[in-house]
Amino acid sequence: MKNMPVSRLDIFYRKILLSKFFTKGWGDPEHVLRLLKFRKIISKRETCYNLVDKDHPIEILKEETWSDCYVRNCRFKSPLAIHLPEVVHPEVQNAYFQMIVPKQWSTGPYRPICIHLAGTGDHYFWKRRQMMVKPLLKQGIASIILENPFYGTRKPKDQNRSCLLNVSDIFVMGGCLILECIAILHWCEKLGFGPMGVTGLSMGGHMASLAATSWPKPLVLVPCLSWSTASSVFTEGVMSEAIDWDFLQHQYFSNKQYHEIISKLCKIVDDPTEFGLAKIPELIVSDKSKLTANKSLTPHELLALIKDSTSDTTSHLLVSEESSKPLYSFIKSVLKQVTKDTTSIKIRDKDAIWFMRGLMDECTHLKNFATPVDTSLIIALCAQSDAYVPRDGCTRLEDIWPGATIKYLDCGHVGAYIKYLTLFRRSILQAFERAKSVYPPPKIPYEVRP
């Protein structure tokens, strides 16, 4: 589906925020290497699922009875902190969640429950409880609100608000949430809940998508305002303006592990030849056979190819939207650093952008993960004019998850928060109804009591 012009509201909203991301850089290169190796394990459903014990201990900290529901506040050690203790911050190692269960069920023998993952800036439980959980409670759906790593009670002391200090923190966050969701789903299954599901808005939507790939049984999935990879968010979207690229560029070259080892382990997942790079004028890529011969290029290789193919005689050349429309915004994000004099165009090195693209694709692209067991239980909602989550040049969700329902909203990212919360909740209900129409109720007796 063709993208609409990006939302001006998204651009304005980002400009009034002064927050900066990744102010400490890429992260410890040894930790990044460990995370890249671990990604190979958690991206395969069987190996990921087996990382979490079915009886992973969960501690109930407090139980309450509210007017229309029972509430449990719980804590457990993140399984990632067990497998990779050296990369998980001490404050992040304990996971916290709040379970909210209706006093009276209106769902017959079913006990549906949905895990809600946090979007950017969504600290603690209150926001998701008010926006999503309470309205769903009235429809007979129980919920679990999982505290996000690096947020709220899990925020490192030196971190300012939601501004992650290192790029690698994103991968720690994703690894934590994938394994924590498995632990919670095991727990809910033993308590007699079913069908079960996971959802989230924006970043929470993408994390929900990653988490759903690891569960070996049918699972409701409703990701809202996310896409197939996080790479475009940080290299093309308005979030890219909150990153000090010069600093990342300097750090990239100051440590050989980044540009000589890690960069060669990261692949840009979406093959440039599939998205129109082969249509870029001959003056930009003079030897397109190199592209077709290399279906998977590292960021370093792709940047070198473009740089090597750019001649000093191409003073008249500008990459036009008409000549390479599918990849126009992506290529422009790199070539916008072009400086022009009267005789030539020179490309300023921005290897950091390509490295970010490859690193994010490697760890967050859904093509690198298993397909959820039953894609008919997926309903994804995407904003057509989303300036936070660009979609050009990225594989469509329809192609990654055949059988899933993808809904496109006529607005931007921020506007969708304002206008479509009701639709988000309705889509969750719709997905749970699909699950109930296909799968039998849980066999284990429901055991949650005040």
Side-chain angles (χ1 to χ4, degrees), residues 70-233:
Y70 302 123
V71 180
R72 280 181 173 178
N73 291 280
C74 303
R75 175 179 64 193
F76 65 98
K77 187 167 185 176
S78 176
L80 188 67
I82 297 172
H83 294 286
L84 295 179
E86 70 280 6
V87 307
V88 182
H89 295 257
E91 296 92 340
V92 173
Q93 292 195 5
N94 283 327
Y96 298 85
F97 68 85
Q98 188 172 81
M99 171 188 271
I100 299 179
V101 178
K103 281 185 175 180
Q104 300 294 328
W105 294 93
S106 58
T107 52
Y110 293 93
R111 298 294 180 262
I113 191 165
C114 188
I115 301 173
H116 298 259
L117 301 185
T120 302
D122 187 355
H123 295 254
Y124 304 104
F125 306 132
W126 182 86
K127 185 176 180 181
R128 279 169 286 169
R129 189 170 62 228
Q130 296 301 119
M131 291 171 50
M132 304 296 288
V133 172
K134 284 190 173 181
L136 290 173
L137 185 72
K138 296 177 180 178
Q139 303 296 323
I141 294 183
S143 293
I144 284 180
I145 312 169
L146 178 59
E147 179 76 284
N148 204 56
F150 298 96
Y151 283 16
T153 53
R154 306 179 73 180
K155 184 171 76 68
K157 294 181 176 62
D158 56 345
Q159 178 182 302
N160 180 34
R161 295 181 293 176
S162 310
C163 302
L164 301 185
L165 298 173
N166 302 288
V167 175
S168 61
D169 292 344
I170 285 282
F171 312 135
V172 173
M173 180 190 296
C176 281
L177 290 173
I178 290 171
L179 299 185
E180 288 164 17
C181 283
I182 294 176
I184 291 172
L185 290 168
H186 277 313
W187 190 64
C188 290
E189 195 172 48
K190 288 191 299 181
L191 291 173
F193 285 101
M196 301 186 294
V198 59
T199 187
L201 304 181
S202 189
M203 179 181 72
H206 194 75
M207 294 299 179
S209 297
L210 294 174
T213 66
S214 63
W215 189 247
K217 304 171 188 178
L219 187 71
V220 166
L221 170 61
V222 184
C224 304
L225 309 180
S226 62
W227 196 234
S228 56
T229 177
S231 62
S232 61
V233 173

Side-chain angles (χ1 to χ4, degrees), residues 92-361:
V92 173
Q93 292 195 5
N94 283 327
Y96 298 85
F97 68 85
Q98 188 172 81
M99 171 188 271
I100 299 179
V101 178
K103 281 185 175 180
Q104 300 294 328
W105 294 93
S106 58
T107 52
Y110 293 93
R111 298 294 180 262
I113 191 165
C114 188
I115 301 173
H116 298 259
L117 301 185
T120 302
D122 187 355
H123 295 254
Y124 304 104
F125 306 132
W126 182 86
K127 185 176 180 181
R128 279 169 286 169
R129 189 170 62 228
Q130 296 301 119
M131 291 171 50
M132 304 296 288
V133 172
K134 284 190 173 181
L136 290 173
L137 185 72
K138 296 177 180 178
Q139 303 296 323
I141 294 183
S143 293
I144 284 180
I145 312 169
L146 178 59
E147 179 76 284
N148 204 56
F150 298 96
Y151 283 16
T153 53
R154 306 179 73 180
K155 184 171 76 68
K157 294 181 176 62
D158 56 345
Q159 178 182 302
N160 180 34
R161 295 181 293 176
S162 310
C163 302
L164 301 185
L165 298 173
N166 302 288
V167 175
S168 61
D169 292 344
I170 285 282
F171 312 135
V172 173
M173 180 190 296
C176 281
L177 290 173
I178 290 171
L179 299 185
E180 288 164 17
C181 283
I182 294 176
I184 291 172
L185 290 168
H186 277 313
W187 190 64
C188 290
E189 195 172 48
K190 288 191 299 181
L191 291 173
F193 285 101
M196 301 186 294
V198 59
T199 187
L201 304 181
S202 189
M203 179 181 72
H206 194 75
M207 294 299 179
S209 297
L210 294 174
T213 66
S214 63
W215 189 247
K217 304 171 188 178
L219 187 71
V220 166
L221 170 61
V222 184
C224 304
L225 309 180
S226 62
W227 196 234
S228 56
T229 177
S231 62
S232 61
V233 173
F234 294 104
T235 60
E236 301 171 50
V238 291
M239 287 287 288
S240 66
E241 298 176 9
I243 298 172
D244 186 342
W245 289 105
D246 289 329
F247 172 64
L248 290 180
Q249 178 86 354
H250 172 75
Q251 193 179 75
Y252 175 76
F253 282 111
S254 66
N255 191 314
K256 289 185 178 181
Q257 284 187 286
Y258 293 127
H259 64 269
E260 292 188 3
I261 299 175
I262 299 174
S263 68
K264 293 176 174 59
L265 299 175
C266 303
K267 300 292 185 181
I268 295 176
V269 171
D270 292 316
D271 183 359
T273 62
E274 293 180 8
F275 290 100
L277 192 56
K279 296 180 181 179
I280 291 177
E282 295 290 340
L283 289 172
I284 278 287
V285 180
S286 58
D287 189 0
K288 286 182 286 188
S289 63
K290 293 181 181 179
L291 283 177
T292 57
N294 295 276
K295 291 298 184 181
S296 188
L297 296 170
T298 66
H300 180 77
E301 292 166 341
L302 192 51
L303 178 64
L305 183 58
I306 292 177
K307 284 162 48 180
D308 291 345
S309 301
T310 304
S311 167
D312 287 339
T313 63
T314 58
S315 58
H316 62 286
L317 176 63
L318 290 175
V319 178
S320 67
E321 186 172 5
E322 289 72 25
S323 62
S324 59
K325 188 172 287 186
L327 262 187
Y328 171 66
S329 61
F330 177 37
I331 298 300
K332 185 179 177 182
S333 71
V334 178
L335 298 187
K336 69 181 179 181
Q337 300 300 331
V338 166
T339 58
K340 182 170 66 174
D341 57 30
T342 57
T343 60
S344 66
I345 288 179
K346 297 178 181 179
I347 299 179
R348 178 184 177 186
D349 286 343
K350 275 295 175 183
D351 300 68
I353 294 176
W354 296 95
F355 184 50
M356 179 75 82
R357 179 87 180 196
L359 199 57
M360 286 288 171
D361 266 2

